Amino acid sequence: MFKSLRSVSSLAQRASLAARNPLQQQKRFLNIHEYLSVKLLREYGINAPKGEVAKTPQEAYDIAKSLGSDDLVIKAQVLAGGRGKGTFDNGYKGGVKTFSSPEEAKELASKMLGHNLVTKQTGADGKPCNAVYICERKYARNEYYFAILLDRKSAGPVIVASAQGGVDIETVAAQSPEAIITLPVDNSVGLTQEMALDLAKKMGFTPKGQQQAADTFQGLFKLFNERDATQVEINPLSESSDHQVLCMDAKLNFDDNADFKQKEVFELRDFTQEDPREIAAAKHHLNYIGLDGNIGCLVNGAGLAMATMDIIQLHGGKPANFLDVGGSATPEAVKAAFEIITSDPTVSSAFVNIFGGIMRCDVIAEGIIAAAQDLDLKIPLIVRLRGTKVDEAKKLIKESGLRIFAEDELDTAAQKAVRFSKIVALAREANVDVKFA
């Protein structure tokens, strides 16, 4: 899987991939389960192995029996890479297994369902497995890699393909960049039959399989455009011994900005796979990403948020989150932001850094005061406000009578947030109750 869209632009230049920064993960893209991706592929006439989803061991048994094969695969439906090498919280290893009987399907499903699967992408807690996908096991004559992504450099979609599929594509790109084919596509023209056939030949499909491969490419490109996808990844895309072209595994991501016109797709969203804090933030139109530090940050604007996190780290601290309230937040949204920040038990200080352009400082101040009063904050709160209505905001904070540490200079405010955080952390280690109010 490609780790960032930025890496695609880079790959188009030098055929190499960059690892995704966790900060960029899951914020613009809806990610759906494999079995739902396969269902969507079939709507576009794209071939995939037969399979169904099971949510109980008995359903797994029934599906395996109905498929009428003794060569099947069961896959844990968890939105993370590395499922096959993952470990469940009950100690069972492997989220992808082959089996030959309905009884085995039932037994394997019972070990997966209801347990968290920990992979290299999930973090230590893992993600819950609430469904398993049971499908035919197909034997490929050849395996390929195929993906469509958005490329900033060409300002449009780019196809990334390789004859080396079924393996970690980042490794292929790093070790054998010449094995990566990139094809920018002009959306005003689309992916023509000629372009698709030429790509099938370059990838190494047999003469008998090239036409179906080209048809598959065009179907995937149509899905990409019509469904406002940001990524369509098939790994592996296989050609069987009888020259059938099959999508063996599918990963589809969709642009969150298109949710108003892709309601059918966005109804497929599985909230159990997401950070509950991110879900709560989305309800209030806040941009939130949890990190592994202990200084909660509330900022307006992504650029200022990045700068705030940088200066916190410069002074020896670690941000606990990226939280952008945007330019139209209400006092209620600001209060909700504090609820999200303080729900993280590792947070030992909170830093508010607002530059009031569109966002008025007095609105932020009202939200800060309401949060401090209603949430009974027990961590130090450092506030830096500059810009529109800043004097009114300072007055509100001063008259509130609350112990809020207001600073005008960013550097000073960041230093104070880091120092207070360390004090609280030490107090917690010593089991001493410290309250800043």
Side-chain angles (χ1 to χ4, degrees), residues 170-218:
E170 288 96 335
T171 302
V172 174
Q175 296 179 354
S176 307
E178 71 283 355
I180 302 294
I181 302 167
T182 58
L183 176 64
V185 181
D186 184 346
N187 254 337
S188 64
V189 177
L191 182 64
T192 65
Q193 178 72 193
E194 183 182 357
M195 292 168 65
L197 272 172
D198 184 57
L199 179 61
K201 292 174 184 176
K202 287 180 178 178
M203 290 175 66
F205 281 90
T206 64
K208 290 184 178 180
Q210 286 170 7
Q211 184 59 57
Q212 191 181 351
D215 292 342
T216 299
F217 299 159
Q218 288 186 296

mmCIF file of all heavy atoms in Angstrom, residues 170-218:
data_model
loop_
_atom_site.group_PDB
_atom_site.id
_atom_site.type_symbol
_atom_site.label_atom_id
_atom_site.label_comp_id
_atom_site.label_asym_id
_atom_site.label_seq_id
_atom_site.Cartn_x
_atom_site.Cartn_y
_atom_site.Cartn_z
ATOM 1 N N GLU A 170 6.278 -1.143 -1.432
ATOM 2 C CA GLU A 170 7.317 -0.177 -1.055
ATOM 3 C C GLU A 170 8.710 -0.787 -1.205
ATOM 4 O O GLU A 170 9.650 -0.127 -1.628
ATOM 5 C CB GLU A 170 7.125 0.313 0.390
ATOM 6 C CG GLU A 170 5.954 1.236 0.570
ATOM 7 C CD GLU A 170 4.715 0.493 1.040
ATOM 8 O OE1 GLU A 170 4.624 -0.728 0.772
ATOM 9 O OE2 GLU A 170 3.847 1.135 1.635
ATOM 10 N N THR A 171 8.811 -2.065 -0.834
ATOM 11 C CA THR A 171 10.097 -2.752 -0.962
ATOM 12 C C THR A 171 10.490 -2.879 -2.429
ATOM 13 O O THR A 171 11.654 -2.676 -2.796
ATOM 14 C CB THR A 171 10.021 -4.143 -0.310
ATOM 15 O OG1 THR A 171 9.656 -3.996 1.065
ATOM 16 C CG2 THR A 171 11.360 -4.861 -0.403
ATOM 17 N N VAL A 172 9.520 -3.216 -3.275
ATOM 18 C CA VAL A 172 9.786 -3.305 -4.714
ATOM 19 C C VAL A 172 10.283 -1.966 -5.240
ATOM 20 O O VAL A 172 11.272 -1.896 -5.980
ATOM 21 C CB VAL A 172 8.513 -3.737 -5.474
ATOM 22 C CG1 VAL A 172 8.754 -3.690 -6.983
ATOM 23 C CG2 VAL A 172 8.082 -5.128 -5.050
ATOM 24 N N ALA A 173 9.593 -0.893 -4.857
ATOM 25 C CA ALA A 173 9.956 0.437 -5.347
ATOM 26 C C ALA A 173 11.341 0.858 -4.876
ATOM 27 O O ALA A 173 12.082 1.516 -5.606
ATOM 28 C CB ALA A 173 8.916 1.454 -4.895
ATOM 29 N N ALA A 174 11.693 0.464 -3.647
ATOM 30 C CA ALA A 174 12.993 0.847 -3.104
ATOM 31 C C ALA A 174 14.126 0.029 -3.723
ATOM 32 O O ALA A 174 15.194 0.557 -4.035
ATOM 33 C CB ALA A 174 12.986 0.682 -1.585
ATOM 34 N N GLN A 175 13.881 -1.271 -3.920
ATOM 35 C CA GLN A 175 14.944 -2.150 -4.394
ATOM 36 C C GLN A 175 15.010 -2.254 -5.916
ATOM 37 O O GLN A 175 16.083 -2.452 -6.472
ATOM 38 C CB GLN A 175 14.756 -3.542 -3.787
ATOM 39 C CG GLN A 175 14.890 -3.566 -2.262
ATOM 40 C CD GLN A 175 14.674 -4.948 -1.681
ATOM 41 O OE1 GLN A 175 14.321 -5.900 -2.391
ATOM 42 N NE2 GLN A 175 14.892 -5.078 -0.383
ATOM 43 N N SER A 176 13.848 -2.139 -6.570
ATOM 44 C CA SER A 176 13.806 -2.266 -8.031
ATOM 45 C C SER A 176 12.908 -1.193 -8.629
ATOM 46 O O SER A 176 11.819 -1.492 -9.143
ATOM 47 C CB SER A 176 13.300 -3.658 -8.423
ATOM 48 O OG SER A 176 14.037 -4.671 -7.807
ATOM 49 N N PRO A 177 13.325 0.073 -8.564
ATOM 50 C CA PRO A 177 12.461 1.149 -9.053
ATOM 51 C C PRO A 177 12.080 1.006 -10.519
ATOM 52 O O PRO A 177 11.030 1.486 -10.946
ATOM 53 C CB PRO A 177 13.298 2.414 -8.819
ATOM 54 C CG PRO A 177 14.701 1.944 -8.625
ATOM 55 C CD PRO A 177 14.599 0.584 -8.031
ATOM 56 N N GLU A 178 12.917 0.305 -11.290
ATOM 57 C CA GLU A 178 12.603 0.112 -12.705
ATOM 58 C C GLU A 178 11.393 -0.806 -12.895
ATOM 59 O O GLU A 178 10.795 -0.853 -13.984
ATOM 60 C CB GLU A 178 13.818 -0.467 -13.444
ATOM 61 C CG GLU A 178 14.160 -1.909 -13.125
ATOM 62 C CD GLU A 178 14.884 -2.104 -11.783
ATOM 63 O OE1 GLU A 178 15.213 -1.087 -11.132
ATOM 64 O OE2 GLU A 178 15.141 -3.269 -11.411
ATOM 65 N N ALA A 179 10.997 -1.531 -11.826
ATOM 66 C CA ALA A 179 9.844 -2.432 -11.916
ATOM 67 C C ALA A 179 8.519 -1.703 -11.739
ATOM 68 O O ALA A 179 7.454 -2.302 -11.905
ATOM 69 C CB ALA A 179 9.963 -3.537 -10.859
ATOM 70 N N ILE A 180 8.580 -0.421 -11.415
ATOM 71 C CA ILE A 180 7.372 0.378 -11.190
ATOM 72 C C ILE A 180 7.025 1.143 -12.463
ATOM 73 O O ILE A 180 7.857 1.835 -13.047
ATOM 74 C CB ILE A 180 7.566 1.372 -10.032
ATOM 75 C CG1 ILE A 180 7.936 0.631 -8.734
ATOM 76 C CG2 ILE A 180 6.298 2.193 -9.829
ATOM 77 C CD1 ILE A 180 6.861 -0.254 -8.172
ATOM 78 N N ILE A 181 5.782 1.009 -12.888
ATOM 79 C CA ILE A 181 5.268 1.748 -14.050
ATOM 80 C C ILE A 181 4.321 2.828 -13.539
ATOM 81 O O ILE A 181 3.419 2.540 -12.758
ATOM 82 C CB ILE A 181 4.492 0.812 -15.004
ATOM 83 C CG1 ILE A 181 5.386 -0.333 -15.486
ATOM 84 C CG2 ILE A 181 3.916 1.594 -16.182
ATOM 85 C CD1 ILE A 181 4.609 -1.454 -16.165
ATOM 86 N N THR A 182 4.522 4.066 -13.981
ATOM 87 C CA THR A 182 3.604 5.144 -13.604
ATOM 88 C C THR A 182 2.991 5.730 -14.874
ATOM 89 O O THR A 182 3.692 5.968 -15.861
ATOM 90 C CB THR A 182 4.321 6.265 -12.818
ATOM 91 O OG1 THR A 182 5.375 6.797 -13.605
ATOM 92 C CG2 THR A 182 4.877 5.733 -11.511
ATOM 93 N N LEU A 183 1.688 5.958 -14.806
ATOM 94 C CA LEU A 183 0.966 6.453 -15.970
ATOM 95 C C LEU A 183 -0.021 7.550 -15.552
ATOM 96 O O LEU A 183 -1.131 7.245 -15.102
ATOM 97 C CB LEU A 183 0.207 5.301 -16.648
ATOM 98 C CG LEU A 183 -0.690 5.663 -17.842
ATOM 99 C CD1 LEU A 183 0.156 6.214 -18.994
ATOM 100 C CD2 LEU A 183 -1.494 4.448 -18.286
ATOM 101 N N PRO A 184 0.359 8.826 -15.670
ATOM 102 C CA PRO A 184 -0.598 9.906 -15.397
ATOM 103 C C PRO A 184 -1.736 9.860 -16.422
ATOM 104 O O PRO A 184 -1.508 9.584 -17.603
ATOM 105 C CB PRO A 184 0.244 11.180 -15.552
ATOM 106 C CG PRO A 184 1.669 10.728 -15.459
ATOM 107 C CD PRO A 184 1.694 9.340 -16.018
ATOM 108 N N VAL A 185 -2.956 10.130 -15.963
ATOM 109 C CA VAL A 185 -4.122 10.065 -16.838
ATOM 110 C C VAL A 185 -4.807 11.425 -16.866
ATOM 111 O O VAL A 185 -5.115 11.990 -15.810
ATOM 112 C CB VAL A 185 -5.116 8.984 -16.375
ATOM 113 C CG1 VAL A 185 -6.317 8.928 -17.321
ATOM 114 C CG2 VAL A 185 -4.438 7.620 -16.295
ATOM 115 N N ASP A 186 -5.030 11.931 -18.052
ATOM 116 C CA ASP A 186 -5.757 13.188 -18.231
ATOM 117 C C ASP A 186 -7.248 12.906 -18.056
ATOM 118 O O ASP A 186 -7.846 12.160 -18.842
ATOM 119 C CB ASP A 186 -5.475 13.747 -19.626
ATOM 120 C CG ASP A 186 -6.127 15.106 -19.858
ATOM 121 O OD1 ASP A 186 -7.002 15.501 -19.061
ATOM 122 O OD2 ASP A 186 -5.762 15.765 -20.855
ATOM 123 N N ASN A 187 -7.861 13.508 -17.049
ATOM 124 C CA ASN A 187 -9.264 13.220 -16.766
ATOM 125 C C ASN A 187 -10.196 13.670 -17.881
ATOM 126 O O ASN A 187 -11.305 13.160 -18.008
ATOM 127 C CB ASN A 187 -9.687 13.887 -15.447
ATOM 128 C CG ASN A 187 -9.824 12.864 -14.335
ATOM 129 O OD1 ASN A 187 -10.018 11.681 -14.593
ATOM 130 N ND2 ASN A 187 -9.732 13.314 -13.097
ATOM 131 N N SER A 188 -9.756 14.630 -18.670
ATOM 132 C CA SER A 188 -10.606 15.081 -19.777
ATOM 133 C C SER A 188 -10.664 14.044 -20.898
ATOM 134 O O SER A 188 -11.563 14.059 -21.734
ATOM 135 C CB SER A 188 -10.088 16.418 -20.335
ATOM 136 O OG SER A 188 -8.797 16.261 -20.904
ATOM 137 N N VAL A 189 -9.683 13.142 -20.912
ATOM 138 C CA VAL A 189 -9.629 12.072 -21.917
ATOM 139 C C VAL A 189 -10.027 10.736 -21.302
ATOM 140 O O VAL A 189 -10.769 9.947 -21.890
ATOM 141 C CB VAL A 189 -8.211 11.971 -22.532
ATOM 142 C CG1 VAL A 189 -8.141 10.806 -23.525
ATOM 143 C CG2 VAL A 189 -7.821 13.274 -23.198
ATOM 144 N N GLY A 190 -9.538 10.502 -20.073
ATOM 145 C CA GLY A 190 -9.799 9.243 -19.399
ATOM 146 C C GLY A 190 -8.808 8.171 -19.801
ATOM 147 O O GLY A 190 -7.876 8.409 -20.572
ATOM 148 N N LEU A 191 -9.001 6.980 -19.284
ATOM 149 C CA LEU A 191 -8.138 5.853 -19.610
ATOM 150 C C LEU A 191 -8.722 5.157 -20.835
ATOM 151 O O LEU A 191 -9.721 4.440 -20.755
ATOM 152 C CB LEU A 191 -8.058 4.882 -18.430
ATOM 153 C CG LEU A 191 -7.141 3.674 -18.628
ATOM 154 C CD1 LEU A 191 -5.693 4.118 -18.794
ATOM 155 C CD2 LEU A 191 -7.274 2.701 -17.469
ATOM 156 N N THR A 192 -8.109 5.367 -21.973
ATOM 157 C CA THR A 192 -8.619 4.804 -23.225
ATOM 158 C C THR A 192 -8.277 3.324 -23.329
ATOM 159 O O THR A 192 -7.392 2.819 -22.627
ATOM 160 C CB THR A 192 -8.023 5.536 -24.435
ATOM 161 O OG1 THR A 192 -6.601 5.295 -24.475
ATOM 162 C CG2 THR A 192 -8.286 7.038 -24.357
ATOM 163 N N GLN A 193 -8.978 2.636 -24.220
ATOM 164 C CA GLN A 193 -8.726 1.215 -24.453
ATOM 165 C C GLN A 193 -7.286 1.001 -24.924
ATOM 166 O O GLN A 193 -6.614 0.052 -24.497
ATOM 167 C CB GLN A 193 -9.708 0.674 -25.495
ATOM 168 C CG GLN A 193 -9.514 -0.774 -25.864
ATOM 169 C CD GLN A 193 -9.935 -1.748 -24.767
ATOM 170 O OE1 GLN A 193 -9.609 -2.929 -24.833
ATOM 171 N NE2 GLN A 193 -10.668 -1.275 -23.769
ATOM 172 N N GLU A 194 -6.801 1.897 -25.770
ATOM 173 C CA GLU A 194 -5.427 1.790 -26.264
ATOM 174 C C GLU A 194 -4.419 1.904 -25.130
ATOM 175 O O GLU A 194 -3.458 1.127 -25.048
ATOM 176 C CB GLU A 194 -5.177 2.885 -27.304
ATOM 177 C CG GLU A 194 -3.795 2.822 -27.941
ATOM 178 C CD GLU A 194 -3.546 3.952 -28.936
ATOM 179 O OE1 GLU A 194 -4.487 4.758 -29.171
ATOM 180 O OE2 GLU A 194 -2.432 4.018 -29.470
ATOM 181 N N MET A 195 -4.637 2.884 -24.231
ATOM 182 C CA MET A 195 -3.736 3.060 -23.096
ATOM 183 C C MET A 195 -3.782 1.842 -22.175
ATOM 184 O O MET A 195 -2.745 1.378 -21.680
ATOM 185 C CB MET A 195 -4.128 4.319 -22.315
ATOM 186 C CG MET A 195 -3.890 5.627 -23.051
ATOM 187 S SD MET A 195 -4.703 7.021 -22.212
ATOM 188 C CE MET A 195 -3.817 7.073 -20.671
ATOM 189 N N ALA A 196 -4.989 1.338 -21.935
ATOM 190 C CA ALA A 196 -5.151 0.198 -21.037
ATOM 191 C C ALA A 196 -4.482 -1.053 -21.598
ATOM 192 O O ALA A 196 -3.821 -1.812 -20.866
ATOM 193 C CB ALA A 196 -6.631 -0.048 -20.779
ATOM 194 N N LEU A 197 -4.638 -1.308 -22.900
ATOM 195 C CA LEU A 197 -4.001 -2.469 -23.524
ATOM 196 C C LEU A 197 -2.487 -2.361 -23.501
ATOM 197 O O LEU A 197 -1.768 -3.338 -23.250
ATOM 198 C CB LEU A 197 -4.492 -2.615 -24.964
ATOM 199 C CG LEU A 197 -5.766 -3.440 -25.184
ATOM 200 C CD1 LEU A 197 -6.225 -3.326 -26.630
ATOM 201 C CD2 LEU A 197 -5.531 -4.905 -24.804
ATOM 202 N N ASP A 198 -2.001 -1.154 -23.760
ATOM 203 C CA ASP A 198 -0.549 -0.935 -23.737
ATOM 204 C C ASP A 198 0.006 -1.201 -22.338
ATOM 205 O O ASP A 198 1.069 -1.802 -22.184
ATOM 206 C CB ASP A 198 -0.245 0.496 -24.178
ATOM 207 C CG ASP A 198 1.250 0.760 -24.267
ATOM 208 O OD1 ASP A 198 1.941 0.034 -25.014
ATOM 209 O OD2 ASP A 198 1.730 1.684 -23.574
ATOM 210 N N LEU A 199 -0.739 -0.770 -21.308
ATOM 211 C CA LEU A 199 -0.306 -1.003 -19.931
ATOM 212 C C LEU A 199 -0.304 -2.497 -19.611
ATOM 213 O O LEU A 199 0.630 -3.004 -18.974
ATOM 214 C CB LEU A 199 -1.225 -0.252 -18.960
ATOM 215 C CG LEU A 199 -0.919 -0.422 -17.467
ATOM 216 C CD1 LEU A 199 0.480 0.091 -17.142
ATOM 217 C CD2 LEU A 199 -1.957 0.315 -16.620
ATOM 218 N N ALA A 200 -1.333 -3.231 -20.081
ATOM 219 C CA ALA A 200 -1.405 -4.670 -19.831
ATOM 220 C C ALA A 200 -0.199 -5.387 -20.442
ATOM 221 O O ALA A 200 0.369 -6.316 -19.849
ATOM 222 C CB ALA A 200 -2.709 -5.230 -20.397
ATOM 223 N N LYS A 201 0.205 -4.943 -21.616
ATOM 224 C CA LYS A 201 1.372 -5.544 -22.279
ATOM 225 C C LYS A 201 2.645 -5.246 -21.496
ATOM 226 O O LYS A 201 3.487 -6.128 -21.285
ATOM 227 C CB LYS A 201 1.499 -5.016 -23.708
ATOM 228 C CG LYS A 201 0.379 -5.483 -24.636
ATOM 229 C CD LYS A 201 0.467 -4.804 -25.998
ATOM 230 C CE LYS A 201 -0.714 -5.188 -26.897
ATOM 231 N NZ LYS A 201 -0.687 -4.465 -28.180
ATOM 232 N N LYS A 202 2.789 -3.987 -21.059
ATOM 233 C CA LYS A 202 3.991 -3.605 -20.315
ATOM 234 C C LYS A 202 4.093 -4.355 -18.988
ATOM 235 O O LYS A 202 5.193 -4.649 -18.515
ATOM 236 C CB LYS A 202 3.982 -2.098 -20.047
ATOM 237 C CG LYS A 202 4.260 -1.250 -21.275
ATOM 238 C CD LYS A 202 4.235 0.232 -20.918
ATOM 239 C CE LYS A 202 4.562 1.099 -22.131
ATOM 240 N NZ LYS A 202 4.481 2.549 -21.792
ATOM 241 N N MET A 203 2.939 -4.646 -18.377
ATOM 242 C CA MET A 203 2.940 -5.341 -17.092
ATOM 243 C C MET A 203 3.242 -6.825 -17.254
ATOM 244 O O MET A 203 3.581 -7.493 -16.270
ATOM 245 C CB MET A 203 1.593 -5.153 -16.394
ATOM 246 C CG MET A 203 1.362 -3.737 -15.892
ATOM 247 S SD MET A 203 -0.295 -3.498 -15.202
ATOM 248 C CE MET A 203 -0.235 -4.566 -13.756
ATOM 249 N N GLY A 204 3.089 -7.352 -18.456
ATOM 250 C CA GLY A 204 3.442 -8.743 -18.690
ATOM 251 C C GLY A 204 2.280 -9.716 -18.706
ATOM 252 O O GLY A 204 2.499 -10.930 -18.569
ATOM 253 N N PHE A 205 1.056 -9.245 -18.871
ATOM 254 C CA PHE A 205 -0.070 -10.165 -19.023
ATOM 255 C C PHE A 205 0.107 -10.962 -20.312
ATOM 256 O O PHE A 205 0.639 -10.461 -21.307
ATOM 257 C CB PHE A 205 -1.391 -9.392 -19.061
ATOM 258 C CG PHE A 205 -1.883 -8.950 -17.712
ATOM 259 C CD1 PHE A 205 -1.516 -7.712 -17.201
ATOM 260 C CD2 PHE A 205 -2.704 -9.774 -16.946
ATOM 261 C CE1 PHE A 205 -1.952 -7.300 -15.950
ATOM 262 C CE2 PHE A 205 -3.149 -9.370 -15.696
ATOM 263 C CZ PHE A 205 -2.773 -8.133 -15.193
ATOM 264 N N THR A 206 -0.354 -12.206 -20.299
ATOM 265 C CA THR A 206 -0.253 -13.035 -21.497
ATOM 266 C C THR A 206 -1.170 -12.472 -22.579
ATOM 267 O O THR A 206 -2.142 -11.769 -22.281
ATOM 268 C CB THR A 206 -0.672 -14.480 -21.188
ATOM 269 O OG1 THR A 206 -2.054 -14.504 -20.823
ATOM 270 C CG2 THR A 206 0.163 -15.055 -20.057
ATOM 271 N N PRO A 207 -0.913 -12.779 -23.847
ATOM 272 C CA PRO A 207 -1.779 -12.272 -24.921
ATOM 273 C C PRO A 207 -3.259 -12.586 -24.700
ATOM 274 O O PRO A 207 -4.126 -11.770 -25.001
ATOM 275 C CB PRO A 207 -1.224 -12.972 -26.160
ATOM 276 C CG PRO A 207 0.221 -13.175 -25.846
ATOM 277 C CD PRO A 207 0.265 -13.486 -24.386
ATOM 278 N N LYS A 208 -3.555 -13.776 -24.133
ATOM 279 C CA LYS A 208 -4.945 -14.153 -23.902
ATOM 280 C C LYS A 208 -5.580 -13.370 -22.740
ATOM 281 O O LYS A 208 -6.802 -13.268 -22.652
ATOM 282 C CB LYS A 208 -5.051 -15.647 -23.631
ATOM 283 C CG LYS A 208 -4.777 -16.511 -24.850
ATOM 284 C CD LYS A 208 -4.985 -17.979 -24.531
ATOM 285 C CE LYS A 208 -4.748 -18.852 -25.757
ATOM 286 N NZ LYS A 208 -4.949 -20.295 -25.458
ATOM 287 N N GLY A 209 -4.740 -12.861 -21.860
ATOM 288 C CA GLY A 209 -5.270 -12.154 -20.697
ATOM 289 C C GLY A 209 -5.264 -10.642 -20.825
ATOM 290 O O GLY A 209 -5.830 -9.927 -19.981
ATOM 291 N N GLN A 210 -4.626 -10.128 -21.883
ATOM 292 C CA GLN A 210 -4.446 -8.677 -21.996
ATOM 293 C C GLN A 210 -5.758 -7.908 -22.144
ATOM 294 O O GLN A 210 -5.935 -6.848 -21.545
ATOM 295 C CB GLN A 210 -3.525 -8.374 -23.180
ATOM 296 C CG GLN A 210 -2.076 -8.706 -22.903
ATOM 297 C CD GLN A 210 -1.192 -8.633 -24.128
ATOM 298 O OE1 GLN A 210 -1.629 -8.196 -25.208
ATOM 299 N NE2 GLN A 210 0.059 -9.069 -23.992
ATOM 300 N N GLN A 211 -6.701 -8.430 -22.900
ATOM 301 C CA GLN A 211 -7.956 -7.715 -23.105
ATOM 302 C C GLN A 211 -8.755 -7.625 -21.794
ATOM 303 O O GLN A 211 -9.282 -6.566 -21.453
ATOM 304 C CB GLN A 211 -8.810 -8.403 -24.173
ATOM 305 C CG GLN A 211 -10.115 -7.652 -24.508
ATOM 306 C CD GLN A 211 -9.863 -6.241 -25.000
ATOM 307 O OE1 GLN A 211 -9.158 -6.030 -25.977
ATOM 308 N NE2 GLN A 211 -10.420 -5.245 -24.309
ATOM 309 N N GLN A 212 -8.828 -8.730 -21.054
ATOM 310 C CA GLN A 212 -9.555 -8.685 -19.789
ATOM 311 C C GLN A 212 -8.844 -7.783 -18.786
ATOM 312 O O GLN A 212 -9.487 -7.087 -18.002
ATOM 313 C CB GLN A 212 -9.731 -10.092 -19.200
ATOM 314 C CG GLN A 212 -10.715 -10.091 -18.020
ATOM 315 C CD GLN A 212 -10.905 -11.463 -17.405
ATOM 316 O OE1 GLN A 212 -10.434 -12.470 -17.935
ATOM 317 N NE2 GLN A 212 -11.604 -11.510 -16.283
ATOM 318 N N ALA A 213 -7.514 -7.784 -18.820
ATOM 319 C CA ALA A 213 -6.762 -6.885 -17.938
ATOM 320 C C ALA A 213 -7.077 -5.435 -18.282
ATOM 321 O O ALA A 213 -7.314 -4.609 -17.386
ATOM 322 C CB ALA A 213 -5.265 -7.157 -18.069
ATOM 323 N N ALA A 214 -7.095 -5.112 -19.569
ATOM 324 C CA ALA A 214 -7.408 -3.744 -19.997
ATOM 325 C C ALA A 214 -8.818 -3.349 -19.573
ATOM 326 O O ALA A 214 -9.048 -2.226 -19.096
ATOM 327 C CB ALA A 214 -7.254 -3.628 -21.516
ATOM 328 N N ASP A 215 -9.767 -4.280 -19.717
ATOM 329 C CA ASP A 215 -11.145 -4.004 -19.292
ATOM 330 C C ASP A 215 -11.207 -3.775 -17.779
ATOM 331 O O ASP A 215 -11.956 -2.914 -17.300
ATOM 332 C CB ASP A 215 -12.059 -5.171 -19.670
ATOM 333 C CG ASP A 215 -12.241 -5.314 -21.186
ATOM 334 O OD1 ASP A 215 -11.949 -4.345 -21.912
ATOM 335 O OD2 ASP A 215 -12.659 -6.406 -21.625
ATOM 336 N N THR A 216 -10.423 -4.545 -17.043
ATOM 337 C CA THR A 216 -10.365 -4.382 -15.580
ATOM 338 C C THR A 216 -9.813 -3.016 -15.218
ATOM 339 O O THR A 216 -10.344 -2.322 -14.339
ATOM 340 C CB THR A 216 -9.498 -5.491 -14.954
ATOM 341 O OG1 THR A 216 -10.077 -6.766 -15.246
ATOM 342 C CG2 THR A 216 -9.396 -5.317 -13.442
ATOM 343 N N PHE A 217 -8.740 -2.585 -15.897
ATOM 344 C CA PHE A 217 -8.150 -1.273 -15.639
ATOM 345 C C PHE A 217 -9.181 -0.162 -15.874
ATOM 346 O O PHE A 217 -9.302 0.777 -15.083
ATOM 347 C CB PHE A 217 -6.934 -1.028 -16.542
ATOM 348 C CG PHE A 217 -5.812 -2.012 -16.365
ATOM 349 C CD1 PHE A 217 -4.862 -2.190 -17.381
ATOM 350 C CD2 PHE A 217 -5.686 -2.759 -15.210
ATOM 351 C CE1 PHE A 217 -3.831 -3.096 -17.236
ATOM 352 C CE2 PHE A 217 -4.645 -3.665 -15.058
ATOM 353 C CZ PHE A 217 -3.729 -3.841 -16.077
ATOM 354 N N GLN A 218 -9.913 -0.276 -16.970
ATOM 355 C CA GLN A 218 -10.890 0.755 -17.299
ATOM 356 C C GLN A 218 -12.048 0.757 -16.299
ATOM 357 O O GLN A 218 -12.555 1.826 -15.932
ATOM 358 C CB GLN A 218 -11.421 0.552 -18.723
ATOM 359 C CG GLN A 218 -10.387 0.905 -19.795
ATOM 360 C CD GLN A 218 -10.969 0.843 -21.197
ATOM 361 O OE1 GLN A 218 -11.373 -0.218 -21.664
ATOM 362 N NE2 GLN A 218 -11.024 1.990 -21.881
#
